């Protein structure tokens, strides 16, 4: 294996700075004591973190996003796992078509999905409802749940299940005692990815959400478009910290490369 | 005669039914909406017409914005290749634990909301941001990249470069590192090894990364909206304005339909190209 | 005349020493094997010769020039990697022609010589195939052609046969050896398969924990291993711990588990304890009461031979007997076991015990 030259390390250093710079700036700015955007030159102040507490709409939006992501990720997983089982394990007419159909939201820009839902829900008279928002999120995140379930089922050797069958287990018992425990890590990974995608979704939600059903990204976007103040930075810092903790957890549990890159 | 087994249909039924109602219906409705005309006083009309499409294809205002979106997508994609592919290569050559740590650093931001990442650039680029202070100190005056193409490009490259690193990394994992050693011992210089041995083997990864970067830039909304604002409109922000500000939904639907169409054509044809070109060489 | 010389070659990875003071001289046209258990430093040695690993200490001299610090792309050696390391995006011809292209040889000559090299390895009919479309054995030959076509002064082979199935492996051993003799290229083969090393090489270098344990021609290595490690690693053997009961000019007597064994013609001198090594095929089983009593515990038919595990007063032993076409011994059979004088290799703590001791 070739060693890396000094040029590579210089490139790598610049790249890492480029990746981390905007996040670092957000975190730094949020500690300012001034009333406007500035670097915390005179010591770290928690003024703008207290401001989050005083303006509870961000906290409400956060909890709304958490609930929305939890419900839609769970629903998407419940729909995706049986479908993935059929797609991975059985041959039937229309299999390819159904599989592309269930993965198709990946081909459609979220913006297009957003305007489509906007019109659809206003026609049905359920514009801006949380039910509508949840359904829209399920559609957007379904491909992730399907893909990761498919990957874990396809990678599963069949001999353990066949062994269980020869030992006298019924098909349902085989699924419950053998298949399900084996695919659970993959399914859980798909759920997590779906949860995160839902939690971070902005482009579609901007069209579907009403003031009463604003997710955290939508709330932050609307705030930033009006004014970029230290409050937007402190809210962002909190989400960065939460993301960082989740990421470390994910890395411990699965390995970050496996989640993003698949097998290896 | 073979009996048709109902199980797979029952298993996929929830997904198919759900998608038909909540994906099929809205999409069809949007396509139909683009065939109605709009009157600024009377609202959406009941007629059937291709007028919206004709408008888009004849008005230079749309040309500029579509051209800008295309140019931005190409530029961002090329930059993502130029910095993402080498970084993936460097990462794959690192020893653990550094490799895992930096992989986390490079991929981690994917989990942070786009709004937050764009906010960082907006702060850096803004009136009294770090960039303006630096250029002022250098005697170049206060440079602001807010509402510029450059600003949008930098921020979008930042948002999308992980999507280049991932597939290139994956194809590097599949590569036998000894094939580089083999080329070296056959007399190739290190540069020739990269050009003739490594690069061709990671080309599928670069191509699939490019498809993703291109498609995601073309449809990106948050970053162009915050950094580009009203002054640097792209297709996505234009559609948003049609729906939320001018309320000309049929025109918005037309633009959305065109964006979707371009997206699907580009992705599927690029995918087919990749498959045809490399089927023989790589599994 | 020495063609390739390794002088005190050493490689350390941090604290760990992978190769230590390897000294080896190889003649032009010679076929030398590096043989040893996994992790003993064979690949590392080969990679240092190729220039893919930098030695911590020592020198590599090829044809009178010191090449120790020369980069791998300036050495011009031919290497076949264990994984073959073919270029997946080039067809067989492209793979073979790559080295010629790097030498700046023109297109038509390149094609011609690549084709000739493929013909040499009997693969000219698959010149347009990509590696993915070939079997393991075919890939292995492309790798060989790619290494040979640049007419390297030394050919380096890192376990080139280990990915092949047993039958193909045996065929390729013979083919590779014939080919090497035909073109006369100096060759170093790395292997952990002692049969492969014995059957192909002019000389075998046995390595243990980064050091050279013995360098010898195959027959010499097998018949007169220098220490217990070599004796045990090269070929099958029965090792028996023995106490020296008496020793003199005419011969010695040793005791194993309370049983006495005569060693005529060997003077063990002042030695107290020794280990005897008895090759299974040197033992003779017969019904005539000669040697030690033996009871058959297990009989395994191998085709050309029978392999027996027998119980004797000196311990359990493995015995190989040629298949004469008649049924062999069965479990529980009682028989006698003997061996000719000089079939026993004797080792003391310092190594092999010889007349020269
Ligand atoms: N880059 C490295 N860093 C640290 N240790 C290494 C490195 N390369 C090899 N080693 C160690 O050096 C020793 C010798 O390795 P080498 O690959 O030469 O063994 P080998 O004899 O070829 O074994 P095998 O038959 O399994 O291929 C091993 O213990 C290995 O773990
Ligand atoms: Mg090895």
């Amino acid at each position: 294996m070739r060693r890396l030259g000094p040029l590579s390390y210089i490139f790598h250093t610049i790249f890492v700075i480029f990746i981390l710079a905007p996040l670092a700036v957000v975190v730094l700015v949020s500690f300012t004591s001034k009333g406007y955007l500035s670097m915390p030159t005179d010591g770290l102040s928690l003024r703008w973190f207290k401001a989050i507490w005083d303006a509870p709409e961000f906290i409400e939006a956060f909890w709304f996003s958490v609930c929305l992501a939890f419900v839609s990720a769970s629903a998407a997983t419940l729909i995706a796992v049986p479908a993935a089982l059929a797609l991975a394990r059985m041959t039937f007419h229309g299999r390819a078509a159904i599989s592309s159909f269930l993965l198709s939201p990946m081909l459609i820009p979220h913006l297009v999905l957003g305007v489509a839902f906007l019109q659809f829900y206003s026609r049905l008279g359920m514009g801006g409802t949380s039910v509508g928002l949840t359904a829209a999120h399920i559609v957007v995140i379904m491909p992730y749940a399907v893909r990761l379930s498919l990957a874990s089922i396809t990678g599963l050797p069949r001999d353990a299940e066949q062994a269980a069958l020869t030992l006298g287990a019924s098909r349902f018992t085989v699924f419950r005692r053998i298949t399900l425990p084996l695919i659970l890590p993959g399914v859980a990974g798909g759920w997590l990815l779906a949860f995160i995608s839902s939690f971070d979704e902005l482009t579609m939600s901007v069209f579907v959400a009403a003031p009463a059903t604003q997710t955290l990204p939508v709330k932050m976007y609307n705030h930033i478009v009006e004014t970029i103040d230290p409050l937007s930075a402190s809210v962002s810092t909190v989400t960065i910290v939460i993301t960082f903790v989740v990421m470390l957890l994910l890395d411990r549990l699965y390995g970050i490369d496996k989640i993003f890159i698949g097998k290896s | 005669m073979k009996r048709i087994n109902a199980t797979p249909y029952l298993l996929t039924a929830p997904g198919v039914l759900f998608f038909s109602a909540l994906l099929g219906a809205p999409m069809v409705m949007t396509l139909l909406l683009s065939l109605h005309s709009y009157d600024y006083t009377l609202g959406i009309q009941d007629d059937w017409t291709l007028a919206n499409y004709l408008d888009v294809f004849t008005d230079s205002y749309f040309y500029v914005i579509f051209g800008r979106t295309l140019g931005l997508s190409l530029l961002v994609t090329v930059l993502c290749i130029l910095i993402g592919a080498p970084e993936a290569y460097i990462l794959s050559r690192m020893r653990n634990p550094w490799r895992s740590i930096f992989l986390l650093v490079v991929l981690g931001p994917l989990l942070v909301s786009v709004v937050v990442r764009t906010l960082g650039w907006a702060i850096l680029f803004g009136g009294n941001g770090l960039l303006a202070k630096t250029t002022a100190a250098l005697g170049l005056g206060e440079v602001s990249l807010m509402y510029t193409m450059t600003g949008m490009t930098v921020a979008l490259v930042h948002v999308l470069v992980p999507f280049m690193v991932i597939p290139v990394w994956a194809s590097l994992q599949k590569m036998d590192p000894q094939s580089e050693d083999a080329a070296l011992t056959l007399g190739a210089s290190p540069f020739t090894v990269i050009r003739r041995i490594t690069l061709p083997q990671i080309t599928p990864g670069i191509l699939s990364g490019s498809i993703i970067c291109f498609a995601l830039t073309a449809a990106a909304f948050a970053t162009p909206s915050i950094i580009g604002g009203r002054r640097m409109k792209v297709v996505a922000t234009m559609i948003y304005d049609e729906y939320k500000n001018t309320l000309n939904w049929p025109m918005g639907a037309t633009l959305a339909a065109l964006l979707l169409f371009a997206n699907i054509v580009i992705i599927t044809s690029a995918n087919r190209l990749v498959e045809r070109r490399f089927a023989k060489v790589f599994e | 005349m020495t063609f390739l010389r390794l002088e005190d070659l050493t490689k350390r990875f941090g604290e760990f020493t992978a190769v230590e003071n390897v000294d080896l001289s190889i003649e032009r046209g010679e076929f030398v094997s590096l043989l040893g258990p996994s992790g003993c430093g064979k690949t590392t040695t080969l990679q240092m010769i190729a220039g893919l690993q930098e030695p911590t200490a020592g020198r590599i001299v090829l044809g009178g020039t010191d090449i120790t610090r020369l980069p791998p792309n300036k050495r011009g050696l031919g290497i076949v990697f264990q994984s073959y390391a073919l270029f997946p995006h080039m067809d067989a011809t492209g793979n073979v022609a790559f080295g010629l292209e790097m030498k700046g040889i023109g297109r038509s000559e390149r094609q011609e010589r690549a084709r000739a090299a493929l013909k040499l390895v009997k693969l000219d009919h698959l010149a347009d195939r990509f590696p993915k479309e070939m079997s393991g054995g075919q890939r292995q030959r492309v790798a060989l052609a790619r290494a040979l076509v640049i007419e390297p002064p030394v050919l380096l082979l890192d376990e080139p046969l280990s990915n092949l199935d047993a039958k193909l492996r045996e065929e390729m051993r013979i083919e590779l050896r014939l080919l090497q003799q035909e073109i006369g290229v100096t060759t170093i083969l790395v292997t952990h398969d002692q049969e492969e090393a014995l059957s192909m090489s002019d000389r075998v270098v046995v390595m243990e924990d980064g050091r050279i344990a013995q360098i010898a021609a195959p027959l010499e290595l097998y018949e007169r291993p220098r220490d217990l490690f070599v004796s045990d690693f090269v070929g099958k053997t029965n090792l028996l711990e023995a106490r020296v009961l008496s020793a003199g000019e005419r011969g010695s007597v040793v005791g194993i588990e309370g049983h006495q064994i005569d060693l005529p013609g060997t003077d063990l001198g002042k030695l107290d304890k020794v280990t005897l090594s008895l090759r299974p095929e040197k033992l003779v089983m017969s019904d005539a009461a000669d040697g030690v009593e033996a009871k058959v515990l297990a009989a395994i038919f191998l085709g050309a031979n029978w392999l027996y595990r027998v119980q004797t007063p000196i311990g359990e032993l493995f015995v190989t007997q040629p298949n004469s076409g008649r049924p062999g011994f069965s479990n529980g059979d009682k028989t006698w076991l003997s061996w000719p004088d000089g079939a026993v290799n004797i080792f003391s703590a310092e190594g092999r015990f010889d007349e020269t001791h």
Side-chain angles (χ1 to χ4, degrees), chain C residues 38-39 41-44 82 158-159 190 192:
Chain C
S38 186
K42 309 177 295 282
T43 298
T44 307
Q82 184 171 352
D158 191 354
E159 312 214 11
V190 158
H192 61 253

Side-chain angles (χ1 to χ4, degrees), chain A residues 163-239:
Chain A
L165 275 179
T166 63
L167 291 170
S170 71
R171 288 210 174 262
F172 180 71
T173 310
V174 169
F175 176 76
R176 200 170 49 85
R177 297 283 305 277
I178 312 290
T179 318
L180 196 60
L182 286 175
I183 64 172
L184 212 52
V187 171
W191 183 89
L192 260 172
L193 205 59
F195 181 94
I196 292 164
S197 318
S198 162
F199 189 83
D200 284 344
E201 212 298 316
L202 167 75
T203 311
M204 186 199 70
S205 311
V206 153
F207 289 93
V208 182
T213 52
Q214 285 194 40
T215 65
L216 185 61
V218 171
K219 174 78 204 146
M220 283 168 67
Y221 170 78
N222 287 333
H223 185 84
I224 289 169
V225 172
E226 265 171 39
T227 167
I228 298 183
D229 60 1
L231 180 60
S232 49
S234 60
V235 174
S236 297
T237 300
V238 173
T239 68

Side-chain angles (χ1 to χ4, degrees), chain A residues 239-250:
Chain A
T239 68
I240 290 174
V241 170
I242 293 174
T243 312
F244 185 72
V245 172
V246 170
M247 196 176 74
L248 283 185
L249 265 172
L250 279 184

Side-chain angles (χ1 to χ4, degrees), chain B residues 189-205:
Chain B
S189 67
F191 178 71
T192 310
V193 172
I194 299 266
R195 192 171 56 83
R196 293 285 310 277
I197 305 301
T198 316
L199 202 53
Q201 293 192 66
I202 61 173
T203 303

Side-chain angles (χ1 to χ4, degrees), chain C residues 176-325:
Chain C
L176 197 59
R177 177 60 165 155
L178 287 177
L179 192 66
Q180 187 268 341
Q181 283 172 338
E182 185 184 323
I183 47 185
V185 61
T186 312
T187 303
I188 302 177
L189 168 82
V190 158
T191 178
H192 61 253
D193 180 341
Q194 40 104 8
E195 239 179 73
E196 196 169 297
L198 293 177
S199 62
M200 294 172 73
S201 336
D202 295 315
R203 279 192 302 156
V204 180
V205 179
V206 183
M207 292 182 69
E208 178 192 10
D209 291 339
R211 275 183 301 260
I212 292 182
Q214 183 169 6
I215 307 178
L219 183 64
E220 158 103 6
L221 188 74
Y222 189 81
E223 293 300 329
R224 304 172 62 78
R226 208 169 68 189
D227 59 22
L228 271 175
F229 169 77
V230 178
S231 159
D232 197 27
F233 189 73
V234 179
K236 249 192 171 23
T237 195
N238 296 297
L239 293 179
L240 303 168
E241 312 246 331
R243 300 187 69 83
V244 180
L245 302 177
S246 72
E249 296 253 322
R250 311 257 305 284
S252 310
V253 179
V254 297
I256 303 172
E257 313 237 338
H259 195 89
Q260 294 194 0
I261 301 280
D262 285 328
L263 298 170
T266 310
D267 184 359
L268 289 175
K270 297 206 157 48
L271 284 175
D272 187 26
K273 275 184 181 162
V274 292
T275 305
L276 307 189
S277 164
L278 275 168
R279 297 269 187 216
E281 77 279 3
K282 300 272 161 68
L283 299 172
V284 182
M285 281 167 96
S286 71
D287 295 332
D290 181 23
V292 294
E293 270 183 292
K295 187 176 133 200
V296 176
L297 296 176
I300 298 161
F301 183 54
L302 297 175
N305 294 304
W306 285 92
L307 175 66
Y308 297 108
R309 188 166 175 77
V310 297
Q311 174 81 62
T312 72
I314 56 174
E316 285 186 12
L317 302 178
F318 282 109
V319 186
T320 329
Q321 300 292 287
N323 169 23
S324 59

